[in-house]
Amino acid sequence: MVKLSRFSLLSALVVTASATDVVVPKHLPTRELLRDGYAYSLEPVWTQDYISSNLTRNLMKVIASITGKPPTLRVGGNTGDQTYYHPELNVSAAALPNTTVTNTFNISNAWFEQWGSYFPDGTDFLYTLNLKDNSSAWENAVREAGAAYSVLGDKLKLIELGNEIDHFINKGWRPPTWNVAMYVQQWRNISSQIVSSSWYKAASHPPKFQAAVFADPPWLPDQQDEIDDFDIINLTRAGLTEQDKIGSYAVHLYPQSTCDTARWYRLSLNLLSNHSVLWHNVSQYVPQVAAADKAGIPLVFGETNSASCSGRSGISDTFGAALWNVDYVLLAASIGMPHVYFHLGANAEYSSFVPLPYQHKNESLEAGIRSLFYGHYFMAHVLASNKQQRVAQIPTANSSDFSGYAIYSPGHRHHEELHKLVFIDLQVWNGTQGLSNPSTLSITDSTSHSAGLRPVRKVSVSTSWKAGTCLDIIRLQAPGTNAKSEISVSGVSFESQTGDQVGEPQGETVIVGEQGRVCFEMQAAEAVLIEGKQLNDRTVY
């Protein structure tokens, strides 16, 4: 018998549940699901803000306590190509003219030391070098790489050469002839200098490179009036496939944008909270993944979030965005993109959490936790496993308002066995509670509420699990799609200033019925994780 959440219970008393039947096929094409598949990208100029309080560290420890591994952190972004290494600098870093509008970001070894020692033990780092400055044979970038490794050591796993290099013509950093062939030539020049450096040769585990770092999606016309040949297919055809150097390729994706008036007016929470739209955005990378697979190098979403140019409050900081990012990470992994790096900026409206109070658009915002972090906390339970997990989309759970994923682990004689199920209800249901959050803009608090009572979905899933098996259910919940607060994962939330846990997990179980059928209810705008019941550190099916 399923124990309903308080939101589900109230709705179920007066609403007839709609029925959804799902079949999990015995054999599905699976891809790797990593414990740190949900990662972060931190704008270099904002690093000092994020380490100026304990909030960031505490939240990363929360994730590590579930998955056993802290999230991977990329320090990179637009200001990566405006960064200059000055070992003689008498401060750790200096943004000119300021952190909000930066033309030059000067750093010293102390800057690497500050953030390198801040994050939990076991954190893997990726650092973006300045590819813009090609003076003196990229001397600045080569020195940056040496300085980063001298401080971070083996914690530095990957190095990027430049950020969104397909926008370099538009920015005036490369000539109109800039294309993949020129990029490959310059990439090999810089990487060869780094690899031949004495520190690199002496390193026991030297960092590899994350190549490509392209911004424009392959199915859209080039947005920057540049030669439109920057994609993974062309890159691998050009021969940039050195597995001894390259640890991964990266592309960036922002499904919406605030960068210009036309796209600002098209912004919509309804579009973000829509699995069909997400599939349209992510599926265009299937041929790109195939090219990367052929080269034997994984492709990742190296920077992403809900809307480019820092997001939009009222969309990016709502519960709908939290459901979107759960769907996003699992969908990306299921097509073969094992890491998704969500971008952070201390004044960005899409940031999962903000470490310090600040003034923004005539409002005084507090430090705090926003909805996206709860998506990550829920995902931590999905990613956690002492076995290597693999994931697949479930064909019969694939519509605009409902998606599902089957997660497998090695079983008897190395056959894949069903390990977990994740379902996400993406119906837009706007409630009347949890509409404000002191770390978000109050002017964007929702005033639109859904009529009637919150719908409930009765789900019946045919699985390979044995009848009588006891399963745990974990729920990602909020009062509605438009909520900015009152979000929890099966009763657990976090104190917004410190990241301390509030509340204890509310246990919920379901028993597998005849012929492997699993039946449960979920409300509109909710995600559920179903897994074998944990008994004495053993997963029992």
Side-chain angles (χ1 to χ4, degrees), residues 99-116:
T99 52
T100 303
V101 180
T102 302
N103 296 321
T104 301
F105 184 48
N106 294 324
I107 62 169
S108 67
N109 280 35
W111 181 69
F112 292 108
E113 291 168 357
Q114 286 177 338
W115 55 262

Side-chain angles (χ1 to χ4, degrees), residues 124 161 376 423:
D124 292 339
L161 307 183
H376 190 183
F423 295 101

Side-chain angles (χ1 to χ4, degrees), residues 173-195:
W173 296 348
R174 290 296 186 273
T177 53
W178 176 243
N179 60 10
V180 162
M182 292 179 67
Y183 165 70
V184 170
Q185 182 182 31
Q186 294 183 15
W187 189 95
R188 286 184 171 145
N189 184 319
I190 304 168
S191 64
S192 295
Q193 290 187 63
I194 293 171
V195 169

